[in-house]
Amino acid sequence: MHRFDAITAEALRSSGSMKWTTYPDAIGAFVAESDFGVDPEIAVALHAAVDRGLVGYLPPAERTALAEACADFHRLRFGWEIDPGDVHPIGDVISALELTLAHFSAPGSKVVVPTPAYMPFLEVPLLAGREIVEVPFATEADGRSVFDLEALDAAFADGGGLLVLTNPHNPLGRVFTREELSAVSEVVERHGARVFADEIHAPMVYPGAVHVPYASISEVTAGHTVTATSASKAWNLPGLKCAQLILSNAADVKRFRPLKQEATIGAGTLGVVANAVAYRRGGPWLDEVVEYLDGNRRLLAERVPELLPGVRMRQPEGTYIAWLDCRELGLGEHPARFFRKNAGVVLTNGIDCGEAGAGFARLIFATPRPILEEMLTRMAAALDDLSAR
Ligand SMILES: Cc1ncc(COP(=O)(O)O)c(C=O)c1O
């Protein structure tokens, strides 16, 4: 038995997290949070920071420590050489997108979002007064989702100026190959467009897949990309408000200079401390979590066809997100509503991830295995009741 198996729903609920208290009568699998506690290295560093009174504005030494730790992590883990001077703290990945929309993409240009997509990517551009072009992923014969390059090309021809490229992908769980990313970069470059590369899930990639940072591929990708990442998904720190903006070309570095103070103001000092420790000393905890999640992913691949006939799922290559194709169940566009009401399991409706997600549901599987089993058992019982009606 793994020590994470012993974490109970009662303990999680009493911890007071959003995932476990928003729906007090149900199991929450709708928000990308994990249930494995805090890496002790990070907990110790945070306690020490609070004891030192480090709760004021961000000191330069902490900013530098984060930039260096983030750059080292990317070099050691993904082979991407980044100058720490090009790594900047920011409140979160969404703020990095807002900044990119305002300052690193052609004013008024459309935002191209491959769908299904992480839900806020279909809202934030609208709030910034920008039009969104949803470009559904294509599906290969084996069920793998791939970029529809022709449709992307048409979207850029139709005024698209910025591509939101999430890799590893939420909700599909794809980890795109170098070849796939290079093919996308040719389309982007042909239209003189830009890429917002969201790589927040990069530390969570399973055996068989390799994360390739998009901007690391070539001078071309470095030249048209703004990258955003954070330790906040892999080490479960999103409430501490710290992500990193990574610049990869001289023009963006120059453009960013007058924005730096304003852009980084949203990063929390304790979040910066925690992210730096995660990158610097969080390797063992991360490896344990990824190995455990790999077990959860394999359990889903085995149990979903058995327990939930009619639901299709492709094993994710990265992330802790399962994308369930529920279209054959005849539950309409909102299968998550059915499971919330009849199984007490709260998923995300796929349609919230764009039109292409209608009839799908998104399940966060970063939870102890007995709880994951319980979710599947409850969902299976709800489907049994439905077919008995
Ligand atoms: C792909 C992706 N991007 C961004 C975010 C949000 O990141 P942040 O809290 O830093 O805005 C999430 C959160 O789940 C995500 O899955």
Side-chain angles (χ1 to χ4, degrees):
M1 181 163 142
H2 192 281
R3 65 192 174 99
F4 293 162
D5 291 341
I7 301 171
T8 62
E10 291 68 36
L12 289 164
R13 221 179 285 281
S14 67
S15 79
S17 71
M18 174 191 176
K19 191 182 184 189
W20 284 91
T21 59
T22 304
Y23 301 94
D25 57 339
I27 302 180
F30 62 98
V31 62
E33 288 189 346
S34 59
D35 294 332
F36 309 129
V38 184
D39 177 352
E41 290 278 359
I42 297 175
V44 166
L46 286 174
H47 283 295
V50 172
D51 290 345
R52 270 161 57 209
L54 199 68
V55 290
Y57 291 116
L58 182 60
E62 303 301 334
R63 179 190 288 256
T64 305
L66 170 64
E68 288 175 351
C70 180
D72 282 350
F73 182 82
H74 281 77
R75 178 169 46 78
L76 296 170
R77 203 113 183 161
F78 310 125
W80 185 21
E81 294 280 350
I82 321 169
D83 180 343
D86 292 334
V87 179
H88 303 280
I90 191 161
D92 47 38
V93 166
I94 292 301
S95 308
L97 174 59
E98 287 166 348
L99 183 87
T100 304
L101 288 166
H103 300 285
F104 296 94
S105 66
S109 63
K110 295 181 189 173
V111 179
V112 180
V113 183
T115 52
Y118 172 55
M119 303 76 78
F121 293 155
L122 297 167
E123 291 165 10
V124 172
L126 300 180
L127 293 173
R130 305 286 279 272
E131 208 176 305
I132 293 173
V133 191
E134 291 188 27
V135 177
F137 279 93
T139 311
E140 302 270 85
D142 65 356
R144 201 166 61 121
S145 296
V146 293
F147 290 106
D148 184 336
L149 296 174
E150 277 183 26
L152 285 178
D153 192 73
F156 288 117
D158 183 33
L162 179 73
L163 172 69
V164 177
L165 181 65
T166 307
N167 183 42
H169 194 269
N170 170 3
L172 293 172
R174 281 292 328 273
V175 176
F176 299 108
T177 63
R178 183 178 297 273
E179 290 68 33
E180 288 177 289
L181 296 170
S182 299
V184 168
S185 77
E186 283 172 24
V187 179
V188 171
E189 193 63 15
R190 194 181 309 139
H191 293 278
R194 308 271 342 232
V195 167
F196 175 73
D198 169 359
E199 306 195 347
I200 196 169
H201 291 279
M204 290 181 295
V205 163
Y206 302 112
V210 175
H211 174 69
V212 179
Y214 179 77
S216 76
I217 294 175
S218 65
E219 292 265 311
V220 168
T221 60
H224 65 213
T225 304
V226 171
T227 302
T229 193
S230 175
S232 68
K233 287 294 127 191
W235 285 270
N236 203 43
L237 309 165
L240 289 175
K241 287 294 161 201
C242 175
Q244 299 84 50
L245 186 79
I246 305 177
L247 302 176
S248 48
N249 63 73
D252 286 352
V253 168
K254 190 167 167 215
R255 184 173 292 239
F256 187 70
R257 221 164 272 146
L259 308 170
K260 184 170 165 178
Q261 204 58 30
E262 179 67 20
T264 60
I265 204 90
T269 299
L270 293 177
V272 170
V273 169
N275 271 247
V277 173
Y279 287 134
R280 191 63 81 197
R281 298 200 296 277
W285 195 84
L286 174 67
D287 291 342
E288 184 181 9
V289 166
V290 172
E291 196 182 331
Y292 189 81
L293 289 172
D294 189 20
N296 281 9
R297 157 183 101 118
R298 282 185 277 113
L299 179 132
L300 281 167
E302 201 183 292
R303 304 286 275 157
V304 165
E306 246 171 62
L307 289 173
L308 310 176
V311 176
R312 288 171 197 273
M313 187 202 106
R314 218 178 161 270
Q315 266 204 66
E317 298 155 353
T319 79
Y320 47 55
I321 297 165
W323 184 235
L324 306 176
D325 181 351
C326 302
R327 288 173 300 178
E328 275 182 21
L329 298 177
L331 302 174
E333 283 192 349
H334 301 98
R337 277 190 201 155
F338 170 84
F339 289 115
R340 159 88 184 92
K341 182 159 176 265
N342 299 287
V345 175
V346 190
L347 311 174
T348 306
N349 270 309
I351 199 155
D352 294 345
C353 303
E355 287 290 325
F360 287 74
R362 195 187 78 141
L363 182 154
I364 306 300
F365 62 83
T367 200
R369 220 160 281 152
I371 295 177
L372 186 58
E373 297 250 22
E374 168 75 13
M375 275 190 231
L376 295 176
T377 307
R378 289 185 183 198
M379 289 166 72
L383 290 179
D384 279 351
D385 285 351
L386 181 71
S387 57
R389 268 184 224 161

